[in-house]
C-alpha cells in the first residue's frame, strides 16, 4: 500500500520546486509570507498551525489540511487538540466539511502510525 504521507510530501516538494524555479516574484513573496506568518510571535507555532487547520478545513482544501495536520503533529499537537480543532472547523464550515474531516482523521492516523514505526 502506498504511503500517503510520503506521496503527498514528494509531490508537494516537487511542485513547489517547479513553481519557485519559474522565479515569479509574486509567488515567491506569497510563499515567504506564508512561512513567516507561521513563525513564533504573539501566538505560538502550535496555535498558528491549528488555526491554519481550521481555515483549511472550512475552505475545504485537502492539501492544506494535510499540510497543517503534519505541521501540527511535528510541533506536538495531540490527537485531542487536533480533533477539537477539526470539530470547530466542522461547526463553522457546516456538514460540507464532513468529507474533509474524514480524510483529515485518516491522515492523522497515518501520521501516528508513522511515528510509531
Amino acid at each position: 500500500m502506498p504511503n500517503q504521507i510520503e506521496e503527498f510530501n514528494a509531490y508537494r516538494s516537487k511542485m513547489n520546486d517547479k513553481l519557485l524555479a519559474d522565479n515569479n516574484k509574486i509567488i515567491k513573496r506569497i510563499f515567504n509570507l506564508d512561512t513567516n506568518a507561521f513563525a513564533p510571535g504573539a501566538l505560538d507555532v502550535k496555535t498558528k498551525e491549528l488555526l491554519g487547520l481550521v481555515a483549511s478545513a472550512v475552505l475545504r482544501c485537502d492539501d492544506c489540511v494535510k499540510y497543517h495536520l503534519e505541521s501540527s503533529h511535528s510541533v506536538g499537537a495531540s490527537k485531542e487538540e487536533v480533533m477539537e480543532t477539526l470539530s470547530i472547523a466542522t461547526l463553522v464550515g457546516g456538514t460540507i466539511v464532513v468529507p474533509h474531516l474524514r480524510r483529515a482523521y485518516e491522515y492523522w492516523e497515518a501520521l501516528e502510525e508513522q511515528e510509531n514505526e
Side-chain angles (χ1 to χ4, degrees):
M1 183 170 158
N3 183 319
Q4 65 173 316
I5 297 167
E6 290 174 9
E7 285 181 6
F8 172 71
N9 286 314
Y11 176 77
R12 185 175 173 275
S13 180
K14 178 181 88 172
M15 293 311 298
N16 283 351
D17 288 347
K18 286 184 176 192
L19 287 167
L20 294 171
D22 274 349
N23 207 25
N24 180 297
K25 198 180 287 188
I26 295 169
I27 289 174
K28 283 187 171 188
R29 287 181 178 168
I30 290 170
F31 274 58
N32 182 273
L33 180 62
D34 181 69
T35 298
N36 285 308
F38 287 90
L43 296 174
D44 62 272
V45 174
K46 181 167 71 170
T47 300
K48 288 183 177 187
E49 289 299 340
L50 294 172
L51 288 168
L53 179 57
V54 168
S56 298
V58 169
L59 293 169
R60 302 184 306 273
C61 175
D62 283 334
D63 280 8
C64 305
V65 167
K66 288 177 180 178
Y67 174 81
H68 289 292
L69 282 171
E70 200 161 332
S71 296
S72 295
H73 186 268
S74 72
V75 296
S78 68
K79 182 177 186 177
E80 292 76 19
E81 289 171 320
V82 167
M83 289 311 299
E84 191 166 322
T85 299
L86 289 169
S87 70
I88 292 168
T90 306
L91 172 67
V92 171
T95 57
I96 197 166
V97 175
V98 171
H100 305 276
L101 173 63
R102 290 182 191 117
R103 288 188 288 275
Y105 193 92
E106 176 184 44
Y107 199 76
W108 184 262
E109 285 184 327
L111 289 168
E112 289 181 323
E113 287 173 17
Q114 180 177 290
E115 180 183 45
N116 294 326
E117 290 179 352

